[in-house]
Amino acid sequence: MAAPLVFRRDLLSFARILGGISQLGPRGLNSCSRHRKCGQTRPPSQLLYASLSRFQLLQSSSTFFHTATHLSSTPFTITATDEPDTLFQKVVVLVKGHDRAVLDSYEFFATMAAKELGITMAKVFEPPKDIERLTLLKSVHIYKKHRVQYEMRTHYRCIELHHITGCTAQVYLEYIQRNLPEGVAMEVTKTAMEKIPDHILEPMWKDHPIDDKPSK
Amino acid sequence: MALLGGRMFLSLGRSNISNLGLKQTTNRVTYATALSVNSSAGNKERGGRGSVGRRPRRDPGEPRTGKMPVDQDWASVYPSATPFRSNAVPLPVRMGYPVKGGVSPEKKGNLELVKIPNFLHLTPAAIKKHCEALKPFCTEWPSALDTDAKCDEHFPIKIQSSDYVSAGPSVRNPSARIVHLKVKLSSLNLDEHARKKMLKLVGERYCKDSDILSIKTDCCPLRQQNYEYAMYLLTVLYHESWKIEAWEAEKTAADMEEYSWEDSPSQKNILDTLLRMKVAGEGEEAEVREQLLARGEVQEYKDSVVRLKNEGANENSMLQYKEAVKKVLNV
C-alpha cells in the first residue's frame, strides 16, 4: 500500500515543480550567465531534462555527465593584446605559517617554479619567528594562582623577485597561490614602475594665462 | 496526500520568491529530501528483518603500493592536493611521538600524516610539467632595462600595493586597498620656485636624503580608486607648484627654506665691523662695501656662516667658522 501512495505524491509534486521551473527558467539563466564568465549556460530544455532524469531516478548520471563533458572540450587559444604590459621592479612574497617544515617545502616549490618559469629571484630568506604568548586562568572559577600558558608561533619565509612583467607575475602568483597549503597565509607586495603621465610633463600655465581657472 | 503536496508547494513557493536568481537545485533539494526520507524508511525495514542475510565482509587485499611499478607516472597518482593515503604512497614513512623504547608509529592508520599538509602532488617532475604548460602565458622582461638606474630613468614613478591571501570567513582584506606612490622630484620638470613650492605643499611626505616624494592613499574603498586619486594628487601638486600667486611676493626671510647671506644682518654686521676697523681705504660707502665683499676672507666668512645656519652646529662647521673669523679680523 505504501508504494502506490508514494508514487502519486511524487507525480503531484513533480508537476508542481515543473511549473515552478518554467516560471524560474529565463530569469535564473540570465543571472547565472552573469555570474559565470565561461560559456556554461544551459538552455531551458536541457535543465528540464536534467531535472526529469533526477526525479525519475532512471539513467540520471549518464545524461547529466554527458552534458558536462561536452561543455569542457572547447580548446584554449592564447591571444595577445596591444595593451602595454605592467612592469614590476620588485615583487615580495611573504608566507606565514605555524609549521616550519611546511614552509620549507613550500619554499622549495616556489623557488623551483620561479626557476622553471625564468624569473630572477633576488633574495630568499627567513625573517625571525614571532611568538605570541598568553597566560589564562586554568580553572573556570577561582584558583587564581593556577594558570595555563599558551603560545602561538608564526614562522615566515620571504621570496623577492626582481624585474618581472605583469603577465609573468600574474601567472606565477596564481600558480603559487593555488598551491598554497592549508594553514599558510601569504602577503604579496608589488612595486610597479610607470612613466610620468603626459599631463605632468609640462606645466599648463605656460600655454594658458594664469587668470584661466581650469578644472584640474 | 493532498496536504503533504500542499505543504511542499508552499516551500517551493517560498524558495522561488527568496532565491530568484538561483538555479533549480533548491527546488530539487526540497523535493529530494522528502524522497530520501521515504526511501531510507524502506531500507530500514529491509535491514531490520534479517541480520543473517548481510553481505559477507570482504578482505581489503594487497595495498596499492605493492602493485606500483618503479617508473610509474607519480603525477597520475597524486594529481592535485589530496590528503595522505597510506596505501597509495610507497614510502616507509613514520610519524608521531615514539612509543616507549620504540620508534614512531607506522603510516597505516596514522592520523598525524593525514593532518599535516603534504606536497606529494608537487614533486619536481610535476612542477616541471606545470611550468611547461604555463610558459606560453609568460612574457619576457625587456632586455634594455637591466639595472635599477635605467629603470628609474625611464620609469620614475613607482606604485606599491599589497595583496593578501589567507583562510578565513572572507576573502577580502581591507589593507589591500592602500596604494603608495613614490617619485623622485629630480625626474619631474620643476624649476627652482616650483620645487620650493612643491616641498612646502608636500611637507612631511618628502625625504631629503633620497629625494623621494611618497604619497600614501587609503581613503577610497578600492585600490583602483586610490591609485587614480594618487595620480590626481601628483598632477595637482605639479601644476599648483608652477603657479605663481600674487601673495607669494610677500615671502619674508623667515619663510625661506635655506639661509641666504645677501642682505642679512650677518653681512651688515661684518661690513660695519670692518669699516670701523678701517681696514679698507677711504672712499664712498657703497664702493667700500663692495670692495670689502669681494675680499677672500669675507667670502670665507660668508661660506662658514651659511654652512652653520643650514647644516647646524657640528664640529667641522664650528671649526671652519672659527678659522674664518680669525682671518677676517686678523687675530
Side-chain angles (χ1 to χ4, degrees):
Chain A
M1 267 310 278
L5 271 173
V6 167
F7 184 63
R8 240 178 276 167
R9 214 180 288 148
D10 291 353
L11 266 183
L12 258 178
S13 38
F14 175 62
R16 287 210 171 98
I17 283 160
L18 271 183
I21 288 168
S22 55
Q23 281 170 23
L24 195 60
R27 261 178 299 167
L29 279 170
N30 282 339
S31 57
C32 89
S33 61
R34 249 180 270 128
H35 290 310
R36 293 198 199 163
K37 284 185 193 153
C38 54
Q40 280 189 19
T41 50
R42 294 174 200 158
S45 55
Q46 269 190 351
L47 275 162
L48 268 176
Y49 195 66
S51 52
L52 266 172
S53 55
R54 178 84 181 258
F55 296 142
Q56 286 169 6
L57 300 170
L58 292 168
Q59 297 162 354
S60 51
S61 49
S62 58
T63 38
F64 194 72
F65 288 142
H66 176 70
T67 47
T69 48
H70 171 71
L71 285 162
S72 64
S73 62
T74 46
F76 290 115
T77 46
I78 302 168
T79 49
T81 51
D82 286 329
E83 194 189 308
D85 212 354
T86 32
L87 298 168
F88 291 112
Q89 194 174 24
K90 199 158 71 156
V91 172
V92 177
V93 175
L94 178 76
V95 260
K96 317 179 214 186
H98 291 302
D99 203 334
R100 214 167 154 251
V102 171
L103 291 181
D104 282 336
S105 305
Y106 190 74
E107 179 202 320
F108 173 79
F109 156 66
T111 45
M112 186 162 188
K115 243 189 297 188
E116 292 293 317
L117 288 173
I119 299 170
T120 44
M121 277 185 300
K123 273 198 282 184
V124 179
F125 64 102
E126 186 184 353
K129 64 179 186 282
D130 284 334
I131 307 182
E132 193 188 320
R133 296 191 171 103
L134 9 133
T135 312
L136 304 169
L137 296 172
K138 207 186 233 183
S139 166
V140 160
H141 182 57
I142 52 169
Y143 302 118
K144 188 73 172 231
K145 287 190 207 167
H146 302 87
R147 313 233 182 166
V148 72
Q149 289 185 316
Y150 296 105
E151 66 176 28
M152 284 176 283
R153 296 187 181 185
T154 311
H155 300 268
Y156 301 96
R157 256 339 128 90
C158 193
I159 301 172
E160 279 189 26
L161 314 165
H162 268 213
H163 294 331
I164 181 170
T165 55
C167 293
T168 316
Q170 210 175 14
V171 164
Y172 178 71
L173 287 173
E174 187 169 342
Y175 181 50
I176 292 282
Q177 284 164 10
R178 275 187 194 272
N179 289 311
L180 200 67
E182 309 78 53
V184 172
M186 186 198 277
E187 185 186 319
V188 178
T189 309
K190 297 186 243 185
T191 309
M193 314 194 301
E194 274 179 35
K195 288 196 166 181
I196 299 184
D198 293 331
H199 41 265
I200 302 186
L201 285 173
E202 285 290 326
M204 62 165 83
W205 315 116
K206 277 192 180 168
D207 301 330
H208 310 285
I210 300 171
D211 300 322
D212 235 344
K213 286 225 173 113
S215 54
K216 238 191 181 176
Chain B
M1 190 177 71
L3 266 174
L4 194 70
R7 237 182 281 140
M8 283 208 48
F9 183 60
L10 267 175
S11 68
L12 206 62
R14 242 183 269 133
S15 65
N16 265 341
I17 291 163
S18 58
N19 311 317
L20 275 178
L22 274 180
K23 284 171 71 173
Q24 286 78 318
T25 41
T26 40
N27 300 345
R28 243 182 266 154
V29 161
T30 49
Y31 184 66
T33 42
L35 196 64
S36 61
V37 159
N38 293 329
S39 56
S40 64
N43 278 339
K44 272 185 192 154
E45 286 171 34
R46 245 186 283 138
R49 251 179 227 148
S51 52
V52 184
R54 264 207 212 154
R55 275 192 227 148
R57 191 164 170 249
R58 293 189 298 180
D59 287 321
E62 195 199 356
R64 192 173 156 188
T65 51
K67 302 174 209 158
M68 283 181 177
V70 177
D71 55 350
Q72 72 175 332
D73 180 25
W74 181 252
S76 53
V77 181
Y78 264 87
S80 63
T82 16
F84 183 85
R85 290 184 293 255
S86 57
N87 63 338
V89 177
L91 300 166
V93 191
R94 287 180 173 270
M95 182 148 168
Y97 193 77
V99 173
K100 192 172 174 183
V103 292
S104 311
E106 58 174 12
K107 65 177 179 176
K108 189 174 171 194
N110 195 334
L111 189 61
E112 295 295 321
L113 281 164
V114 176
K115 284 196 294 193
I116 198 81
N118 64 60
F119 284 79
L120 292 163
H121 58 290
L122 293 172
T123 50
I127 300 174
K128 287 202 171 91
K129 248 202 249 177
H130 297 156
C131 291
E132 282 302 312
L134 290 172
K135 260 289 190 193
F137 295 96
C138 299
T139 48
E140 286 271 318
W141 178 262
S143 47
L145 296 168
D146 309 327
T147 57
D148 276 338
K150 280 192 200 163
C151 293
D152 288 340
E153 187 196 324
H154 296 286
F155 298 91
I157 297 185
K158 315 272 189 244
I159 311 282
Q160 201 175 332
S161 55
S162 287
D163 294 319
Y164 300 87
V165 180
S166 66
S170 161
V171 172
R172 320 282 169 198
N173 191 317
S175 317
R177 72 185 199 281
I178 300 175
V179 169
H180 294 264
L181 185 142
K182 293 198 176 148
V183 68
K184 275 205 172 149
L185 282 189
S186 49
S187 51
L188 293 175
N189 181 16
L190 293 167
D191 69 348
E192 267 309 302
H193 161 263
R195 193 191 149 84
K196 286 182 185 167
K197 187 163 176 186
M198 171 81 96
L199 292 181
K200 274 205 191 290
L201 281 171
V202 140
E204 274 191 4
R205 295 174 187 83
Y206 176 73
C207 171
K208 249 193 196 171
D209 301 323
S210 59
D211 188 35
I212 291 181
L213 163 68
S214 36
I215 300 174
K216 176 184 163 187
T217 38
D218 61 350
C219 47
C220 304
L222 294 181
R223 189 192 293 167
Q224 179 65 22
Q225 293 172 342
N226 278 321
Y227 165 71
E228 279 166 10
Y229 180 54
M231 295 306 280
Y232 163 73
L233 279 179
L234 185 66
T235 315
V236 162
L237 278 170
Y238 179 78
H239 291 297
E240 283 296 311
S241 58
W242 272 97
K243 248 201 236 179
I244 301 178
E245 304 277 351
W247 45 260
E248 281 183 40
E250 296 163 22
K251 193 176 180 187
T252 59
D255 295 326
M256 298 285 180
E257 293 84 10
E258 276 183 348
Y259 179 78
S260 68
W261 197 69
E262 287 78 32
D263 298 330
S264 73
S266 171
Q267 185 190 19
K268 262 184 261 159
N269 290 340
I270 190 71
L271 287 175
D272 288 339
T273 319
L274 284 173
L275 277 173
R276 270 194 233 131
M277 279 163 55
K278 293 188 187 145
V279 175
E282 297 298 327
E284 283 294 323
E285 274 252 20
E287 282 173 20
V288 168
R289 279 181 192 269
E290 273 173 32
Q291 276 170 19
L292 282 172
L293 269 174
R295 279 205 193 169
E297 299 114 10
V298 180
Q299 290 296 318
E300 269 183 39
Y301 178 76
K302 169 198 167 191
D303 289 336
S304 64
V305 167
V306 162
R307 192 183 163 187
L308 257 181
K309 291 273 185 179
N310 285 338
E311 280 179 37
N314 50 6
E315 280 270 351
N316 292 334
S317 53
M318 289 305 284
L319 279 171
Q320 194 186 357
Y321 180 70
K322 179 177 119 182
E323 295 301 317
V325 164
K326 273 166 42 175
K327 273 191 203 164
V328 159
L329 301 177
N330 289 328
V331 171

